[in-house]
Amino acid sequence: MSRVYNFSAGPSMLPEQVLRQAAEEMLDYKGTGESVMEMSHRSKEYAAIIEECETRLRRVMEIPDNYKVLFLQGGASSQFAMVPLNLMTKNRKADYVITGQWAKKAYKEAARFGDCHVVASSEDKTFSYIPKLDPAAFTPDADYFHICMNNTIYGTKYHTLPDTGNVPLVADVSSCILSEPIDVSRFGLLYAGAQKNMGPAGLTVVIVREDLIGEPQEGTPTMFTYSTHADNGSMFNTPPTYAIYICMKVLQWIEEEVGGLAEMKKISEKKAGLLYDFLDQSKLFKGTVERDSRSLMNIPFVTGDDELDKKFVAAAKDAGFINLKGHRTVGGMRASIYNAMPVEGVEKLVSFMKKFEEENK
Ligand SMILES: *Cc1c(COP(=O)(O)O)cnc(C)c1O
C-alpha cells in the first residue's frame, strides 16, 4: 500500500488513524455485527455516536450552551439559501462581503430572498486580499452580516473580524473550521461543509445561536427550516450517519492525538510557514495573496509561466503530491494543507519545489 499527499481543496485528506479505525470497525462496529453504514439512525448504538460527535465538537470549539449544533446535508451551498430563509426575516436586509466565489454565490442566493447589500469586494484584484471594511458602509438594521472567513479558492483569510455591533455575524467556515480556536460567541451562526477539515462529504455542520432560530420566511420548505432540525436533534429525517461517525473520529483525533485547537493552530502555522517562507525567497514560485490576508489552509502560487505551471503539476503528481493544480480563475498551483496533511507532507513538497526550481532555472 502506498498513500499520496493529497493537496486537494476538498474533499481532502483524513487522518490515517481515523481511516484505520474505520476500516477495523467496518464489518462489525463494537460487537453489533453490522457496519455503522447499515445501522438504524434510531438505534442506541447510533445515538451514542451522534451524541459523542456533538459533545466533542462542543468541547473542542468551546461552543457556548446557548448555541445549537445541527448535523445537516446539502453542503455549505444549501446554507447559502437556508441562512437568508431563516435569518432574513425581520427587516429582510443583509450585508455581504465579496471575497471570492463562495462569498459571491452566497450573496447571489441570498439576494433572491431579500435586500442584500455588498459592503465591500476584492474582485478588482482577483480576490487576492481581504478588503478593509468601513463600518459606515454597514446596514444598521440588517438581519445579519455575512462573511466567508477563509476563501478556499483564493487563499485569503480574515485575521480580524468585522465589528458588526448588534447585527449577528454569519460566517462560512467550511475551509478553516477546526484549524485554530475561534470565539464562537462573536458569531450568530457558523456553517461548514465537512469535506475539508471535519470528515467526508455529505455532512454540513451549522452552529447557531438559539435566539436566531425563529419562524422562517413564508414558503420555506420544512427541510430548509432550522427549527425542524434543532427541535429534533438533527434526526427529523435520516442524518448523514456515516459522515457523522467519521467526523466524531476526527474530533477524537483532534482532542486525543493533537491536543485541541490551540495545538492544531501551532501545526497549521508551522505548515503554512514552511510554504510561505519558501515562496517568499523563491526566484521561480510566487504566492498570489497579499501578506496580511494569507490563509493557513489554502496557499495559491504561480511561476508566471503557464507551461511551467503545467510541468510542475504533472511532475508533482508523479512524485506523489496530487491535486496541486490551481483554480481556473487564478491559474498556477494551490496547495490546500488542511488539518490531516502531516507536517512531513509540506516539508517534502517544499523539497520537491526546491529541486524543481534548481532544474528549471
Ligand atoms: C467548499 C466550499 C463551499 C462549498 O461547499 P459544498 O459543501 O460543496 O456546498 C462553500 N464555501 C466554502 C468556503 C468552501 O470552501
Side-chain angles (χ1 to χ4, degrees), residues 24-41:
E24 268 170 36
E25 292 174 348
M26 180 60 74
L27 295 179
D28 179 5
Y29 178 75
K30 292 190 174 169
T32 56
E34 59 181 340
S35 166
V36 173
M37 264 187 258
E38 303 166 301
M39 199 173 270
S40 162
H41 60 295

Side-chain angles (χ1 to χ4, degrees), residues 74-78 80 102 148 150 152 172 174-175 193 195-196:
S77 301
S78 290
F80 298 167
W102 296 118
C148 180
N150 183 78
T152 323
D172 178 350
S174 295
S175 53
Q195 68 273 23
K196 279 111 191 198

Side-chain angles (χ1 to χ4, degrees), residues 247-316:
C247 180
M248 179 267 277
K249 295 232 176 263
V250 169
L251 290 162
Q252 185 173 21
W253 172 77
I254 291 175
E255 284 198 284
E256 289 164 18
E257 297 299 317
V258 177
L261 293 190
E263 290 303 314
M264 199 79 248
K265 179 179 187 180
K266 285 185 204 157
I267 300 170
S268 305
E269 284 175 342
K270 180 171 183 189
K271 287 188 292 182
L274 282 167
L275 204 43
Y276 285 126
D277 286 348
F278 172 71
L279 290 171
D280 287 344
Q281 60 75 54
S282 170
K283 297 208 164 47
L284 181 66
F285 298 103
K286 277 174 288 301
T288 60
V289 165
E290 287 186 12
R291 219 170 241 276
D292 59 0
S293 300
R294 285 172 166 180
S295 165
L296 291 176
M297 295 284 105
N298 312 95
I299 305 182
F301 54 95
V302 295
T303 64
D305 173 343
D306 289 350
E307 286 310 309
L308 204 53
D309 287 351
K310 271 191 203 138
K311 185 176 167 190
F312 175 78
V313 170

